[in-house]
Amino acid sequence: MATKKVTVTIPEDLLEEIRAEAAERGLSAYVAEALRFKRDRDRLRELVDWLQEEHGPVTEDERAAVSEELEDLDAQHERRRAAGKHNAGEAA
């Protein structure tokens, strides 16, 4: 993938935190990942706005149902993660 070097200005305290977290991956990879995440969230926000224009705002019942579903999915992922760690421990 082609890359291009750019100059950005970041508050010092934030840069120190990012460098500490990005140590293994590197600052450029961390920033690129953060920018992709932000771009994806912006696109998702545009989609949500459009859907609300087309179909009306999300109701509290719909929000509650989605929150419950997300909690269930998070629990499933956590169980899979725990099972994977457990199985990796047995293989060692």
Side-chain angles (χ1 to χ4, degrees), residues 12-84:
E12 283 184 40
D13 58 332
L14 179 59
L15 181 58
E16 288 174 20
E17 290 178 34
I18 291 171
R19 280 196 168 134
E21 289 191 29
E24 290 182 24
R25 291 182 282 177
L27 185 59
S28 291
Y30 186 96
V31 171
E33 181 181 334
L35 289 171
R36 282 189 187 95
F37 181 79
K38 174 68 170 115
R39 180 207 54 210
D40 291 348
R41 286 186 58 91
D42 289 348
R43 288 178 178 171
L44 184 56
R45 171 53 48 206
E46 289 176 19
L47 175 60
V48 167
D49 290 345
W50 177 81
L51 287 169
Q52 287 186 348
E53 285 177 19
E54 291 292 314
H55 303 286
V58 176
T59 67
E60 284 305 313
D61 288 344
E62 291 168 329
R63 282 184 201 280
V66 167
S67 291
E68 187 175 317
E69 189 171 335
L70 287 173
E71 288 173 11
D72 290 346
L73 286 170
D74 286 343
Q76 287 177 21
H77 288 290
E78 187 55 40
R79 285 193 296 273
R80 287 187 190 133
R81 229 177 276 132

